[in-house]
């Protein structure tokens, strides 16, 4: 946290025009270009030889994040000077050309807390480009891994269980699989309903980065905070973030007929409630419904969330472990639905 605070202080001084603390800044020519640099350092997003932020790069958070094998994720954003993002009427954020969304993955008990990988989503003139980088053993730089990689790691989940997995760094095509909308790569997490610039300096960066900072009013609850919303609200937020980037009418799982967006999809059959499998194969586990109201043990949505079998597990990519706490929330939500009902009484 001290390292992040120091980097943020430097960033604020740079963007604010101060010169007392010189700080490297992003290499906008590389960001805007059409190359795929071999080394992460070529973008100038981090201070040389470290995972500390360069000047003008801001941290942000999500109310409800995507689950990825219990990794600690650190998210950052860089928008070129003189350009601003804007919030669209549907709540999406339109980022200008030259924007970079940065996400680093790691565990507190692995590599002394240093990141294992960093993924970039770059808004270039031709569209978004996704690039995965794996950090070198010395933690001073990261190397492009277009083909992905399996990294052996051992870590403890919040309940103390030790997990030994081959952590999957996605290849470039797998990035597109999750980030695809109407065949184009788009960001997943940073929607205004779920997007929060980190509190330190957030007002400053809101005014620097956004045309209308007042439009940044996130409404999505935090999935594991009961004070932030009802069980149904939090379950729907969890499904939106973990599933709806594929399970929507324009996503890669559109042919499933299962649509799990936060407010766009009513909690009826197409939301899985009383929905019979279409092409689930072994994924249905012999069960009749994706969500059987009042009966999580006979809801194949739960069956798939609690599996690590590649032919059954959902999501299909991005995890090698079961998110027990997330599955428990969805179990509670389904158990509280009246049997034979449509589950729509608690729609946010």
């Amino acid at each position: 946290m001290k390292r992040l605070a120091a980097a943020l202080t430097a960033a604020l001084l740079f963007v604010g025009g101060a010169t007392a603390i010189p700080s490297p800044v992003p290499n906008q020519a590389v960001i805007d270009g059409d190359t795929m640099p071999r080394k992460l350092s070529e973008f100038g997003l981090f201070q040389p030889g470290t995972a500390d932020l360069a000047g003008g790069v801001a941290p942000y958070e999500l109310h409800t994040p995507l689950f990825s094998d219990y990794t600690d994720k650190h998210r950052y954003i860089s928008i070129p000077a003189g350009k601003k993002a804007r919030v669209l009427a549907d709540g999406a954020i339109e980022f200008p050309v030259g924007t970079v969304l940065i996400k680093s993955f790691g565990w507190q008990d692995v590599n002394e807390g240093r990141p294992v990988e960093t993924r970039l989503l770059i808004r270039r003139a031709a569209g978004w480009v996704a690039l995965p980088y794996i950090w070198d053993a010395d933690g001073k730089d990261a190397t492009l891994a277009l083909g992905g990689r399996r990294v052996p790691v051992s870590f403890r989940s919040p309940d103390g269980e030790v997990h030994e997995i081959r952590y999957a760094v996605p290849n470039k095509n797998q990035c597109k699989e999750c980030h695809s909308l109407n065949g184009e790569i788009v960001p997943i997490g940073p929607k205004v309903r779920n997007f929060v610039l980190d509190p330190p300096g957030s007002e400053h960066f809101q005014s620097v980065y956004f045309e209308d900072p007042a439009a940044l009013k996130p409404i999505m609850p935090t999935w594991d905070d009961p004070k932030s919303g009802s069980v149904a609200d939090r379950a729907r937020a969890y499904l939106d973030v973990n599933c709806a980037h594929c399970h929507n009418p324009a996503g890669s799982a559109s042919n499933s007929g299962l649509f799990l967006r936060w407010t766009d999809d009513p909690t009826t059959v197409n939301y899985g409630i009383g929905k019979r499998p279409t092409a689930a194969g072994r994924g249905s586990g012999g069960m009749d419904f994706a969500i059987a109201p009042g009966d999580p043990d006979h809801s194949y949505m739960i069956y798939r969330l609690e599996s690590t079998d590649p032919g059954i597990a959902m999501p299909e990519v991005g995890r090698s472990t079961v998110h027990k706490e997330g599955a428990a929330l969805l179990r509670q939500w389904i158990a509280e639905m009246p049997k034979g009902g449509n589950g729509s009484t608690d729609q946010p």
Side-chain angles (χ1 to χ4, degrees):
M1 292 301 295
K2 290 182 179 178
R3 186 172 67 183
L4 179 59
L8 182 57
T9 299
L12 286 171
L13 285 172
F14 169 78
V15 176
T19 58
I21 302 178
S23 175
V25 296
N27 187 335
Q28 203 61 48
V30 173
I31 292 169
D32 292 339
D34 58 2
T35 63
M36 294 184 288
R38 181 174 178 271
K39 288 293 187 178
L40 180 62
S41 58
E42 296 180 49
F43 291 99
L45 299 165
F46 297 93
Q47 306 227 17
T50 74
D52 297 338
L53 299 181
V57 180
Y60 72 92
E61 296 177 350
L62 301 178
H63 275 195
T64 289
L66 178 74
F67 173 74
S68 304
D69 286 330
Y70 293 102
T71 51
D72 297 316
K73 299 179 186 178
H74 298 282
R75 300 171 178 85
Y76 315 111
I77 182 172
S78 172
I79 294 180
K83 295 185 178 181
K84 294 189 177 185
R86 63 190 185 102
V87 177
L88 304 180
D90 64 358
I93 300 176
E94 184 179 77
F95 295 102
V97 170
T99 297
V100 187
L101 299 175
I102 309 151
K103 185 162 58 173
S104 292
F105 298 72
W107 295 265
Q108 292 182 358
D109 52 351
V110 175
N111 290 343
E112 300 179 341
R114 297 194 303 270
V116 172
E117 66 156 326
T118 293
R119 301 176 194 173
L120 304 183
L121 201 58
I122 307 170
R123 178 69 172 91
R124 288 176 166 169
W128 289 95
V129 177
L131 299 177
Y133 287 83
I134 299 175
W135 283 84
D136 302 337
D138 60 9
K140 293 182 178 181
D141 207 343
T143 303
L144 182 64
L146 289 178
R149 192 176 303 171
R150 290 279 180 173
V151 180
V153 295
S154 176
F155 65 92
R156 290 183 182 272
S157 53
D159 63 1
E161 181 181 352
V162 175
H163 300 266
E164 294 188 4
I165 66 171
R166 292 178 61 80
Y167 173 72
V169 176
N171 62 47
K172 198 169 184 293
N173 288 333
Q174 288 173 320
C175 292
K176 186 174 182 179
E177 180 179 333
C178 288
H179 283 271
S180 178
L181 188 70
N182 289 320
E184 300 291 334
I185 292 179
V186 296
I188 294 176
K191 300 178 178 68
V192 72
R193 61 178 178 255
N194 199 29
F195 177 87
V196 184
L197 282 168
D198 266 4
S202 63
E203 291 185 6
H204 172 84
F205 276 109
Q206 283 181 13
S207 63
V208 168
Y209 277 177
F210 286 86
E211 287 184 359
D212 183 11
L216 294 175
K217 295 179 180 179
I219 59 171
M220 184 176 285
T222 302
W223 74 273
D224 59 349
D225 180 6
K227 295 180 180 178
S228 70
S230 67
V231 170
D233 288 346
R234 292 183 288 118
R236 291 206 65 183
Y238 185 90
L239 290 171
D240 179 280
V241 170
N242 284 276
C243 310
H245 48 275
C246 293
H247 283 280
N248 69 78
S252 60
S254 60
N255 63 345
S256 70
L258 180 64
F259 306 138
L260 299 171
R261 294 170 297 178
W262 167 240
T263 53
D264 303 279
D265 299 315
T267 50
T268 54
V269 172
N270 283 110
Y271 201 80
I273 299 173
K275 183 182 186 304
R276 296 185 180 277
T278 52
R282 291 193 300 124
S284 66
M287 301 177 196
D288 292 329
F289 305 115
I291 297 174
D295 193 355
D297 286 332
H298 290 91
S299 299
Y300 66 79
M301 176 183 284
I302 299 297
Y303 174 66
R304 305 194 79 169
L305 285 169
E306 293 182 339
S307 175
T308 56
D309 184 318
I312 298 172
M314 281 288 175
E316 293 180 322
V317 298
R319 70 173 180 92
S320 301
T321 56
V322 174
H323 191 197
K324 291 182 288 187
E325 298 81 3
L329 171 66
L330 296 181
R331 277 184 165 276
Q332 182 182 357
W333 172 55
I334 295 172
E336 292 178 359
M337 292 180 184
K339 286 192 175 183
N342 64 9
S344 63
T345 55
D346 240 335
Q347 182 175 337

